[in-house]
Amino acid sequence: MMRNWRTQWPFHLMVVPGLVGVLIFCYYPMAGIVIAFQNYMPNRGLFHSPWIGWDNFRYVLDTPDVYRVLWNTVFIAVMKIIVGLIVPITVALLLNEIGKQVWKRWIQTLIYLPHFLSWVILSGILIDILSPSEGLVNAVIKGLGLPAIFFLGDNHWFPFTLVFSNEWKEFGFSTIVYLAAITGINPSLYEAATVDGANRWQQTRNITLPGMTPIIVLMATLSIGNVLNAGFDQVFNLYSPLVYESGDILDTFVYRIGMIDAQYGVATAVGLFKSVVSLVLISISYTLAYRFANYRIF
């Protein structure tokens, strides 16, 4: 161990700034968890606010909207996970069939660019594009003789709008992971399949997809930990009171309770509940990833 330390101490030293940042911004604020068990009053602080035990959790469970919010969160998150697997895999397979590397790189760049745009920018673009009166999408719909759709104001369409717009932004990044998996497949397998007379579809079905399976299983299992993360940035910038029924999620619910209604104890209780459930799901996902994809962190 000492021999390794003498040779690797510069690498450990490089980790120190990141470790200090994690301690300050991730672990130090965890002291605020006690607010979930208090009738927190900012003027009294953590040590002088009255303790009320589990009352904040009981209040949350008695709130009529909490079960609807929980359902919205799970539904939107699961839809994002499913679509987030299908679309990148399909696009990666299609890109793999492009012969000219120049076109392949151009397409990769174009689909990857939205990943770098914040939801503040993209929400403004989407609001204009999806406008029921002047939006480009509804102009096409009206041109087909159909009634305009209020994508951001209709409870039926809003969850699917969230899923579609999120995938438009992120599928380019996920595609790179699957393309990397494809490049790791032994080229001699394709050569042998060509000699045996296999066409491109047969090669994809019998060589490419089986070769991608470990990465697909890994990504699918790791995504289990995001079941309660439906995307606060996206929802907060796109939703309105019109779509609270189908678009309100745990994170936006906590934001309104804590920042707008100033019920800090209740908001912390909801956040703590989400964190505990997420911890359990993440632990399960890493266990499954190790069992089915031989992936481990430590």
Side-chain angles (χ1 to χ4, degrees), residues 124-182:
I125 297 173
L126 289 172
I127 289 171
D128 289 337
I129 293 177
L130 301 177
S131 171
S133 57
E134 301 177 355
L136 177 62
V137 175
N138 273 299
V140 175
I141 293 175
K142 292 176 183 177
L144 296 174
L146 301 174
I149 299 174
F150 195 0
F151 291 98
L152 301 179
D154 189 314
N155 281 298
H156 173 73
W157 288 100
F158 186 71
F160 301 102
T161 304
L162 291 177
V163 174
F164 176 81
S165 58
N166 178 78
E167 195 56 32
W168 169 59
K169 181 178 185 296
E170 300 294 345
F171 84 95
F173 179 81
S174 302
T175 300
I176 294 176
V177 177
Y178 297 111
L179 281 174
I182 293 174

Side-chain angles (χ1 to χ4, degrees), residues 79 81 83 126 153 180 206 261-262 272:
M79 287 290 290
I81 291 172
V83 177
L126 289 172
N206 297 300
D261 298 338
L272 179 58

Side-chain angles (χ1 to χ4, degrees), residues 65-77 245-246 248:
D65 294 337
V66 69
Y67 298 103
R68 173 180 54 79
V69 169
L70 185 59
W71 163 253
N72 292 340
T73 304
V74 174
F75 176 74
I76 294 172
E245 181 181 343
S246 64
D248 197 15

